[in-house]
């Protein structure tokens, strides 16, 4: 099976404007672009250029979100905004919404965030079902040392999927997070493959010498690299420890039909437009050798 290859927009590439983003992506052979927002203007650009929209960031649902706030009024406002966005993107053909659920108070225990989520999200997922939109939950654990995000471990995902069995609430499979958390990224697909609604092309290198220095804890005196906590660093696909050949086989086996979308978080390809473009192209080349 041949998978489409896409990208999540890095900052320097994104600063050129959506028209430039779409045109450059098309010119280098990408099939899909993930967007921070989706409206009639973006749809017109993508349709004219001939490139597909991938995942769409959920408004107020990426990062430290008020959807998990202890403040009921803040939660209500966040739910209303997300429900409105679901309806709006569905009207113009949007299908997949990217979310990442950490509380606005990062000291809040994950167990408490889960209880709030159980109260908040049935309504949101009901709106997604009505609109035929699918959520893809990112497994980023959140900032150290709290690691407050929910949905980044099998333990939590089992509880979440038991509470909301709808396939309109699923995961964004990003093996880079699983590798850094020392969770088997292939076994994850065996257990949760039916809930994979999107896939990121990002890798993680375990820095064994640095791991000797601080173990699995974040570095005390600063990191050598950006996109790192000391004993690991995010990389483009092929420069880390993810077994992409086996990932491809398992994605095909579970019937995944979405794209593999490059998320560029590698310090070697960061800081300038030229570096970002180089990183996307190198990542694309590696993924195409496996997924095309």
């Amino acid at each position: 099976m041949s998978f489409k290859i896409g990208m999540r927009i890095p900052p320097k590439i994104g600063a050129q404007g959506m028209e430039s983003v779409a045109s450059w992506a098309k010119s280098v052979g990408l099939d899909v672009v993930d967007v921070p927002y989706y409206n009639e203007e973006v749809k017109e650009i993508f349709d004219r250029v001939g490139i597909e929209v991938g995942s769409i960031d959920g408004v107020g649902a990426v990062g430290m979100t008020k959807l998990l706030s202890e403040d009921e009024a803040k939660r209500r406002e966040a739910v209303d905004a997300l429900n409105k966005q679901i309806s709006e993107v569905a009207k113009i053909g949007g299908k997949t919404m990217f979310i990442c659920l950490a509380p606005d108070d990062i000291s809040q225990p994950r167990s408490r965030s889960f209880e709030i989520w159980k109260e908040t999200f049935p309504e949101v997922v009901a709106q997604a079902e009505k609109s035929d939109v699918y959520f893809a939950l990112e497994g980023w654990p959140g900032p150290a040392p709290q690691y407050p995000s929910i949905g980044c471990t099998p333990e939590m995902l089992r509880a979440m999927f038991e509470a909301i069995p709808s396939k309109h609430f699923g995961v964004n499979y990003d093996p880079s997070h699983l590798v850094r958390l020392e969770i088997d990224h292939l076994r994850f697909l065996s257990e949760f493959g039916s809930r994979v609604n999107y896939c990121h092309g990002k890798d993680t290198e375990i820095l064994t010498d640095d791991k000797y220095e601080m173990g699995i804890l974040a570095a005390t005196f600063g990191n050598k690299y950006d996109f790192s906590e000391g004993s690991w660093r995010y990389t483009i696909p092929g420069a880390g420890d993810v077994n992409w050949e086996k990932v491809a086989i398992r994605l095909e086996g579970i019937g995944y039909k979405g794209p593999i979308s490059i998320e560029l978080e590698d310090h070697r390809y960061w800081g300038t437009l030229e570096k970002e473009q180089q990183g996307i192209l190198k990542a694309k080349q590696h993924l195409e050798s496996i997924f095309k």
Side-chain angles (χ1 to χ4, degrees), residues 9-292:
I9 306 171
K12 299 297 184 183
I13 292 176
Q16 308 303 304
M18 199 62 77
E19 179 94 35
S20 176
V21 168
S23 297
W24 182 80
K26 181 69 173 180
S27 73
V28 299
L30 290 171
D31 306 300
V32 175
V33 174
D34 302 343
V35 293
Y37 58 89
Y38 192 50
N39 54 27
E40 290 284 2
E41 180 183 359
V42 175
K43 175 178 170 54
E44 189 279 327
I45 291 171
F46 277 38
D47 287 349
R48 173 162 39 83
V49 170
I51 199 160
E52 296 180 22
V53 66
S55 69
I56 302 155
D57 283 6
V59 60
V62 179
M64 274 55 81
T65 171
K66 292 180 174 57
L67 289 163
L68 302 179
S69 175
E70 286 282 9
D71 188 315
E72 187 174 348
K74 290 181 179 178
R75 290 203 305 272
R76 183 70 259 166
E77 183 179 356
V79 167
D80 289 345
L82 187 54
N83 281 340
K84 180 182 178 184
Q85 185 193 21
I86 292 168
S87 298
E88 289 175 347
V89 300
K91 288 177 183 177
I92 55 174
K95 283 292 183 184
T96 306
M97 293 187 63
F98 176 88
I99 57 175
C100 180
L101 299 176
D104 52 355
D105 175 6
I106 62 173
S107 67
Q108 182 169 286
R110 287 192 297 275
S111 57
R112 176 56 184 155
S113 294
F114 173 67
E115 293 302 320
I116 294 172
W117 173 85
K118 284 199 298 183
E119 298 175 8
T120 301
F121 253 74
E123 176 186 341
V124 175
V125 175
Q127 181 63 44
E129 290 176 332
K130 179 181 176 182
S131 303
D132 197 27
V133 167
Y134 291 80
F135 283 114
L137 175 64
E138 172 81 335
W140 174 61
Q146 295 89 356
Y147 303 116
S149 297
I150 59 173
C152 56
T153 64
E155 173 198 44
M156 179 64 78
L157 285 172
R158 281 190 213 103
M160 295 174 86
F161 292 150
E162 182 178 355
I164 298 183
S166 171
K167 290 188 178 181
H168 287 262
F169 178 77
V171 298
N172 177 73
Y173 178 67
D174 185 335
S176 70
H177 300 305
L178 298 169
V179 169
R180 62 167 279 202
L181 292 172
E182 300 188 1
I183 295 169
D184 188 324
H185 64 284
L186 299 174
R187 180 177 173 181
F188 182 96
L189 282 175
S190 297
E191 179 169 0
F192 299 109
S194 65
R195 302 302 285 263
V196 173
N197 288 342
Y198 211 70
C199 182
H200 273 175
K202 193 174 78 178
D203 213 327
T204 291
E205 179 189 8
I206 300 300
L207 305 170
T208 53
D209 287 344
D210 295 286
K211 190 173 181 181
Y212 172 77
E213 295 294 328
M214 71 276 300
I216 61 172
L217 302 180
T220 305
F221 303 109
N223 305 315
K224 290 181 180 178
Y225 312 112
D226 291 334
F227 307 110
S228 170
E229 285 182 358
S231 62
W232 56 268
R233 71 177 188 92
Y234 291 141
T235 76
I236 60 171
D241 294 356
V242 174
N243 190 324
W244 290 102
E245 289 84 357
K246 291 185 177 180
V247 167
I249 291 168
R250 281 161 175 76
L251 287 175
E252 185 173 5
I254 64 175
Y256 175 71
K257 292 180 172 58
I260 314 300
S261 190
I262 300 158
E263 184 179 30
L264 185 65
E265 292 184 346
D266 186 323
H267 74 275
R268 298 173 302 164
Y269 305 106
W270 201 255
T272 69
L273 176 62
E274 293 72 24
K275 285 183 178 180
E276 286 183 0
Q277 290 175 336
Q278 182 186 21
I280 294 292
L281 292 174
K282 283 183 174 291
K284 173 179 173 288
Q285 181 181 27
H286 183 77
L287 292 173
E288 283 183 338
S289 72
I290 296 166
F291 289 95
K292 287 287 191 180

